[in-house]
Amino acid sequence: MRKWIAGAGLVYVLYGLFIYWYLFMTGDAAVPEAVRGTEADPASFMKPSQLAVAEQYSNIKNFLFFIGIPLDWFLFFILLITGISKKIKQWMATAVRFQFLQVAGFVFVLSLIVAAVTLPLDWIGYQVALDYNISTQTAASWAKDQIIDFWIGFPLFTVCVLVFYWLISKHEKRWWLYAWCLTVPFTLFLFFLQPVVIDPLYNDFYPLQNKELESKILALANEADIPADHVYEVNMSEKTNALNAYVTGIGANKRIVLWDTTLNKLNDSEILFIMGHEMGHYVMKHVYIGLAGYLLLSLAGLYVIDKIYRQVVRTFGARLHINGKGDIAALPLLLLLISVLTFASTPFSNAVSRYQENAADQYGMELTRDREAAVDTFQDLAVTGLTQVNPPLLVKVFRNSHPSIMERIEHAETNEKTEEDPTSKPDSDQ
């Protein structure tokens, strides 16, 4: 057991050293020669001091991300190899009579352990954001969000675990298929509830207060044939200086939401471009495409997890203190497999997301007919968020669900050149 723990610890440390070396010493975030002097060159809209700070902040943030994910894997492995997971199960069996309460108690203790181990890294991330003036959130507000996260996640997680172990006891060979069938309505239900139940637990949402701007946005929506009565704003300035807007929810609960930081720091033309971008997501049905893609990936993922789970339990069950596939003590193994496969699929899901974001950028520029506002918006996003304009490859692949700021500005420039191409055929009536 000591050898396994030492080996896993060594692998984790070597991985952390590699990530540090890659991000801080070799990660290529330099500006290509072809971009220098253009609007996509960060030197054209950021001071040298801002560039240096953005590089530092981005590297720290990316480092925390890359070492945080395998920390969960290491923790789950330790819980299994040391027999702690089995002991928690035994404690629950002696503490409560009913099996469903034993499972709920096991999930609660496991959730507390995971929260306690990952909390220091989360706290460091919060402090870094404060130090670089990205976060404006008080420690009390941050702690409140952590507590809300826990008490939203715990009951949902408990229900999922109860259903999983019930399915595997009743349908050992096809549990993964039945689990996926239940995932579809459950996911749709959460998507429907999120804008009106979950999101308001963290922030206050209300109709856009600037009625003149709202009229402009609704006129833009009408031009795009989008049924819209309200645009919502959220008081994110209490927590951050960053800018954002997004589309959330499905059906009657679909919302377009603007952060108040965006309203306070951007002019109307830039906000209208952002709205055009979000309307592009709506028109091209990206929310539904993303939801369908998630459900298809989850089907494939559950099938693969079933095969690996069976093999690991069969081969290493005794060493990991697992008595079979239906043993609640095997839950850390299941979580480990889910986390690893989710991380492995991230490059694909991010690539699809970047394609959709690029298409939404294009739609926003076409709808507003204001390419300059798009460029100004991208530049403001980089400055206010201390964003690397051209992040290293691993960051792009595993972290970026949007094209880089440099790519978005270059796309806008390409769009302008295409529109102004003198070789394009004129209309017959000109």
Side-chain angles (χ1 to χ4, degrees):
M1 182 182 70
R2 286 193 294 268
K3 290 181 179 179
W4 278 94
I5 295 175
L10 179 62
V11 169
Y12 182 67
V13 170
L14 291 176
Y15 165 81
L17 290 173
F18 166 76
I19 292 298
Y20 181 87
W21 170 78
Y22 177 78
L23 292 175
F24 291 91
M25 303 177 68
T26 66
D28 185 14
V31 177
E33 188 63 35
V35 177
R36 295 187 183 278
T38 68
E39 290 178 305
D41 183 355
S44 68
F45 58 89
M46 297 177 76
K47 299 176 182 178
S49 59
Q50 290 176 315
L51 285 170
V53 171
E55 188 76 13
Q56 293 170 1
Y57 174 69
S58 296
N59 283 337
I60 296 172
K61 185 173 61 174
N62 292 330
F63 179 72
L64 292 174
F65 167 82
F66 279 109
I67 66 170
I69 292 177
L71 177 61
D72 289 343
W73 307 347
F74 182 69
L75 172 60
F76 294 143
F77 177 75
I78 294 298
L79 291 174
L80 291 167
I81 198 70
T82 60
I84 293 176
S85 183
K86 180 180 179 180
K87 291 179 180 178
I88 297 173
K89 180 192 74 172
Q90 293 172 341
W91 294 337
M92 290 300 109
T94 58
V96 293
R97 177 180 176 183
F98 300 104
Q99 187 174 9
F100 79 94
L101 291 178
Q102 294 173 10
V103 172
F106 183 94
V107 172
F108 181 74
V109 174
L110 180 61
S111 299
L112 282 179
I113 292 174
V114 173
V117 171
T118 58
L119 186 62
L121 211 58
D122 294 336
W123 175 259
I124 292 172
Y126 162 67
Q127 287 295 324
V128 168
L130 276 180
D131 292 342
Y132 283 85
N133 201 34
I134 296 298
S135 175
T136 60
Q137 191 173 19
T138 65
S141 174
W142 181 85
K144 177 186 174 183
D145 284 352
Q146 302 304 306
I147 294 171
I148 292 174
D149 285 345
F150 182 88
W151 286 109
I152 289 177
F154 165 64
L156 293 177
F157 184 32
T158 301
V159 171
C160 292
V161 173
L162 286 168
V163 170
F164 165 76
Y165 280 102
W166 179 80
L167 286 175
I168 206 169
S169 66
K170 299 294 184 181
H171 309 281
E172 183 177 345
K173 293 184 178 180
R174 292 287 183 269
W175 71 265
W176 58 272
L177 180 59
Y178 298 129
W180 180 80
C181 290
L182 293 175
T183 296
V184 175
F186 184 70
T187 302
L188 292 173
F189 181 67
L190 287 181
F191 263 73
F192 187 78
L193 281 186
Q194 181 176 337
V196 295
V197 176
I198 298 176
D199 288 347
L201 294 175
Y202 295 89
N203 298 97
D204 296 326
F205 291 78
Y206 34 83
L208 184 61
Q209 295 179 335
N210 185 335
K211 296 306 177 183
E212 181 180 352
L213 177 60
E214 183 181 48
S215 297
K216 295 179 182 179
I217 294 172
L218 294 178
L220 202 65
N222 183 63
E223 186 176 346
D225 294 324
I226 297 175
D229 297 320
H230 297 289
V231 178
Y232 291 87
E233 63 177 283
V234 54
N235 62 331
M236 286 301 297
S237 57
E238 295 181 356
K239 297 182 178 181
T240 183
N241 284 317
L243 312 178
N244 198 14
Y246 58 90
V247 176
T248 185
I250 57 175
N253 283 352
K254 179 182 288 293
R255 287 183 175 182
I256 296 178
V257 179
L258 273 165
W259 287 11
D260 62 344
T261 52
T262 303
L263 294 167
N264 295 335
K265 297 181 181 181
L266 300 184
N267 59 42
D268 283 7
S269 61
E270 292 170 317
I271 292 172
L272 288 175
F273 165 73
I274 290 177
M275 287 292 93
H277 171 101
E278 299 303 333
M279 290 172 191
H281 285 306
Y282 180 91
V283 169
M284 292 179 277
K285 296 180 172 34
H286 287 166
V287 172
Y288 295 100
I289 293 172
L291 181 58
Y294 165 77
L295 292 174
L296 288 175
L297 275 178
S298 65
L299 175 62
L302 285 170
Y303 174 79
V304 173
I305 286 171
D306 174 60
K307 301 303 179 184
I308 300 176
Y309 185 67
R310 290 171 181 269
Q311 185 62 39
V312 172
V313 171
R314 184 165 50 246
T315 307
F316 300 103
R319 187 182 297 275
L320 299 177
H321 307 278
I322 298 172
N323 294 327
K325 295 181 289 295
D327 187 359
I328 186 63
L331 181 57
L333 172 61
L334 186 66
L335 296 177
L336 172 61
L337 295 177
I338 292 173
S339 181
V340 169
L341 288 178
T342 300
F343 184 70
S345 68
T346 299
F348 171 75
S349 58
N350 279 347
V352 173
S353 177
R354 288 193 296 269
Y355 175 83
Q356 292 180 335
E357 294 297 335
N358 187 62
D361 283 346
Q362 179 68 31
Y363 184 91
M365 285 185 284
E366 292 176 355
L367 183 64
T368 61
R369 294 175 285 278
D370 195 345
R371 184 207 67 89
E372 194 59 41
V375 172
D376 291 342
T377 301
F378 299 144
Q379 292 175 345
D380 287 337
L381 287 172
V383 172
T384 57
L386 295 181
T387 305
Q388 279 180 311
V389 175
N390 184 35
L393 178 61
L394 288 182
V395 176
K396 291 180 182 179
V397 171
F398 285 99
R399 287 218 67 189
N400 285 13
S401 59
H402 290 61
S404 69
I405 294 295
M406 180 178 294
E407 291 168 337
R408 299 178 84 173
I409 295 176
E410 286 185 301
H411 174 239
E413 290 180 330
T414 302
N415 182 68
E416 181 185 40
K417 291 176 182 177
T418 301
E419 292 176 350
E420 296 178 353
D421 185 358
T423 63
S424 60
K425 186 177 179 180
D427 295 336
S428 58
D429 61 345
Q430 291 180 335

